[in-house]
Amino acid sequence: MKTIDALLLQKLFVAAANNLSNNKEYINELNVFPVPDGDTGTNMTLTIMAAAADVQSQKNPTIDSLSKAISGGSLRGARGNSGVILSQLFRGFCKDIRGKKELTLVDLVSGFERGVETAYKAVMKPKEGTILTVARGISEKATELLMEDEDYPIVEFAEQVVSHGEKVLEHTPELLPVLKEAGVVDSGGQGLIEILRGILICLKGGTVELEDAGQPVKLARGAGVLDDVPKARPTYSAASGKEDISTADIKFGYCTEFIILLEKELPDEEVDKLKEYLLSIGDSLVCVADEELVKVHVHTNHPGLAFEKALEYGQLTRMKIDNMREEHSERVELEAQRAQEQEAAFKQIKLERKDSGKTAEKKEEKPAQPPKKYGFIAVAAGEGLVKILEEIGVDHVISGGQTMNPSTDDILNAIDQVNAEHVFVLPNNKNIILAANQAAGICKSKKVVVIPSKTVPQGIGAMIAFSDEAEPEDNRIAMVSAMESVKTGEVTFSVRDTSVEGKSILKGDIMGINDEGIAVVGAEIADVTERLIDGMIDEDAGLITIYYGSDTPAEEAEKLNQKLAEKYPDVEMDLHDGGQPIYYYIVSVE
């Protein structure tokens, strides 16, 4: 076999999706943190299955029709960071093979390279030892084999690529110490290997049927759980990648925004050249391109140069220039006033909040919203948390979080339901931020701003910082700044025995997780929660907020709240029925 036609490509993709699905629980077990959530295997499976249904239904497929189904389906169905990265691997591959009647070895290798390049670009700060490392290793091996022999039989080529990918996967603990300490390989990389194994089985004439949920997986595995890996304290921090934002030192005075209506699709290398030029005359660059347009935001001292460069690619629309130096003194006064408004608003919310109980009530259909300048979308699970978010101005709450990461399409649908020119999206979970960014890049009808909140308390803090009178960029800065001042803690239970961050954890242990990772491990929920909060308190703490979950009795939460009030008499206490699953308590300190 020297080529792959559309019919075979269709079978290969379905086999890949089925094999990933059959192994998703095994992949979930490889997750380092033993929290009871949806996890990598589930997210990757939901992502690929969103495309597989359309792929399988095509009766007379072509390479182009399959490429469109794989790229579009996975892009919109992407869930969690691993799902978004997988969708970008598919997107790059499919973009490269468009227009082909059948795929040669050269086409496959070129597609691999394009997929890896696209996926790396989608991640702001790529980490090695992850699915990206495995994908790059696979691509490099494919290129090496092609250079040896362009007529390499495809089945033998696939066998060697998969074998090399397994070796790269086995090496991931050496690149990420947290994997080595937990004794596992990277779960996203394992998912990618399962996809390739499904393809290889199909190439060799076998079939991969979708197994019933709960049935044991019979496929043999290579890389997986590592039994004899030496333990080492990890350097990984859950808070890595945080960026500080300051308006005090303004090097480039004009905030410049515009959209380029492309005359023709812009190749990735041209997008890179545009980015390089804009960075040569400014900073704070955001440049997102698709087939029809390019959205640009840049701080520069020469807006005219940015416009002139952009005109080389097409017409301009939605041009906007703000003099940040002129506005800076006003902004300082505005932020002081906004801080007072935030405090007053928060106190008012506390006065108006009543115990909502745990009985879920059916929501009434909301009337069509009138058009407005600003709208808000947030992600949360738990009736109480949903009510709090709605009370402080969120238009649409997507049900999700740790137990289920919403897809890119879920976020796009929510954006469509909010009739506003500017829509702010609060993911409230670090594993949803990439999907939110992907939705923002796809949406063309509205200006979508993603506030990268990692927890619900951060999202609430960001919402309270919003001002109707402020401009979108000013609001973004204020909301991000407010979000970053909120310390969050979560209390849940361990679903497996493991070792993380120097802590030995047994299945069923209670874990207190702060912004840096697992901070406290113990046997009692109240004790772990108290110790977690003790570690979050400092001399600047003025408010402790506790949201108790669906599995926590109200009287236990009130008892804990009272004990903390006595322990910290100078700190204001606030208790709410969050109703969230999985987490006994979510707490914040401000």
Side-chain angles (χ1 to χ4, degrees), residues 182-455:
V184 296
V185 294
D186 178 68
S187 54
Q190 183 72 55
L192 184 59
I193 291 298
E194 298 302 343
I195 288 171
L196 293 179
R197 285 179 178 156
I199 290 172
L200 181 57
I201 290 169
C202 188
L203 280 172
K204 296 173 81 169
T207 58
V208 184
E209 299 293 338
L210 196 60
E211 297 181 5
D212 293 334
Q215 292 299 310
V217 177
K218 301 180 180 65
L219 294 174
R221 301 187 181 90
V225 177
L226 308 178
D227 295 324
D228 301 312
V229 180
K231 307 299 180 188
R233 184 169 183 80
T235 58
Y236 170 80
S237 167
S240 63
K242 172 180 168 183
E243 296 179 2
D244 295 324
I245 296 177
S246 173
T247 58
D249 182 16
I250 302 175
K251 181 179 179 182
F252 297 100
Y254 297 95
C255 176
T256 307
E257 297 180 6
F258 54 89
I259 292 177
I260 310 172
L261 302 176
L262 295 173
E263 295 172 354
K264 59 182 180 179
E265 185 178 346
L266 212 57
D268 288 346
E269 51 268 25
E270 286 299 318
V271 176
D272 291 340
K273 286 181 182 177
L274 175 59
K275 289 179 181 178
E276 286 176 12
Y277 176 78
L278 293 172
L279 284 173
S280 74
I281 63 168
D283 66 5
S284 299
L285 175 65
V286 177
C287 182
V288 180
D290 65 11
E291 288 80 2
E292 299 176 0
L293 55 84
V294 180
K295 298 180 184 179
V296 173
H297 166 281
V298 65
H299 293 176
T300 178
N301 288 327
H302 304 285
L305 294 178
F307 290 149
E308 285 181 22
K309 183 66 176 178
L311 284 168
E312 296 177 12
Y313 303 102
Q315 299 180 44
L316 302 188
T317 185
R318 296 193 181 182
M319 295 172 286
K320 177 174 168 288
I321 303 173
D322 290 324
N323 187 330
M324 294 187 295
R325 293 191 180 97
E326 186 178 86
E327 295 173 353
H328 180 61
S329 59
E330 296 176 4
R331 184 177 301 167
V332 171
E333 293 177 9
L334 177 64
E335 289 184 340
Q337 179 185 345
R338 188 179 294 148
Q340 295 175 353
E341 292 172 351
Q342 291 170 21
E343 184 177 357
F346 199 84
K347 287 182 178 177
Q348 183 64 26
I349 290 166
K350 291 198 298 175
L351 289 173
E352 293 175 354
R353 284 288 297 147
K354 294 181 180 179
D355 187 1
S356 60
K358 295 185 181 180
T359 304
E361 296 175 1
K362 188 176 180 180
K363 292 186 179 179
E364 297 178 1
E365 284 292 321
K366 293 183 180 179
Q369 294 179 328
K372 55 183 181 176
K373 183 175 181 179
Y374 292 120
F376 303 90
I377 293 166
V379 181
E383 184 185 3
L385 294 179
V386 170
K387 285 187 70 174
I388 292 171
L389 288 165
E390 290 176 341
E391 287 175 3
I392 59 176
V394 174
D395 298 285
H396 186 96
V397 180
I398 302 171
S399 180
Q402 285 300 100
T403 52
M404 178 56 69
N405 300 146
S407 67
T408 299
D409 205 34
D410 291 334
I411 298 171
L412 283 169
N413 290 334
I415 293 169
D416 287 341
Q417 294 179 42
V418 178
N419 191 6
E421 180 185 356
H422 301 267
V423 179
F424 288 80
V425 179
L426 301 156
N428 294 339
N429 186 296
K430 66 180 181 181
N431 207 34
I432 302 173
I433 294 172
L434 277 182
N437 288 335
Q438 190 153 275
I442 293 173
C443 182
K444 300 175 184 176
S445 59
K446 300 168 186 175
K447 295 178 181 178
V448 181
V449 180
V450 177
I451 305 297
S453 53
K454 296 178 181 178
T455 65

Side-chain angles (χ1 to χ4, degrees), residues 488-550:
T488 303
E490 298 164 323
V491 180
T492 186
F493 59 94
S494 170
V495 295
R496 68 180 75 93
D497 296 349
T498 188
S499 176
V500 180
E501 298 177 353
K503 296 177 178 67
S504 295
I505 301 170
L506 301 177
K507 182 178 180 179
D509 278 352
I510 305 301
M511 301 181 297
I513 305 168
N514 62 19
D515 294 325
E516 304 299 325
I518 298 174
V520 182
V521 178
E524 301 295 331
I525 296 170
D527 172 64
V528 168
T529 307
E530 184 179 350
R531 287 193 286 140
L532 176 66
I533 293 174
D534 288 343
M536 297 166 65
I537 293 288
D538 58 25
E539 60 183 13
D540 297 324
L543 173 66
I544 298 173
T545 306
I546 299 174
Y547 308 91
Y548 59 93
S550 58

Side-chain angles (χ1 to χ4, degrees), residues 92-93 108-118 139-140 142-143 146:
F93 180 85
L108 294 174
V109 172
S110 177
F112 287 166
E113 291 176 347
R114 186 74 169 270
V116 171
E117 180 185 349
T118 304
S139 176
E140 289 171 351
T143 302
L146 177 66

Side-chain angles (χ1 to χ4, degrees), residues 54 58 62-74 94 98:
D54 188 19
Q58 294 189 24
T62 63
I63 297 293
D64 277 358
S65 70
L66 293 174
S67 295
K68 185 176 180 181
I70 294 169
S71 179
S74 62
C94 290
R98 281 188 310 191

Side-chain angles (χ1 to χ4, degrees), residues 536-586:
M536 297 166 65
I537 293 288
D538 58 25
E539 60 183 13
D540 297 324
L543 173 66
I544 298 173
T545 306
I546 299 174
Y547 308 91
Y548 59 93
S550 58
D551 293 325
T552 303
E555 55 271 20
E556 288 188 13
E558 289 164 2
K559 189 186 298 183
L560 174 65
N561 188 67
Q562 182 60 35
K563 185 175 182 181
L564 289 166
E566 294 170 0
K567 189 172 187 178
Y568 299 106
D570 296 330
V571 179
E572 193 172 353
M573 299 296 304
D574 198 13
L575 178 66
H576 298 290
D577 178 2
Q580 69 272 6
I582 305 299
Y583 292 95
Y584 301 113
Y585 291 104
I586 296 175

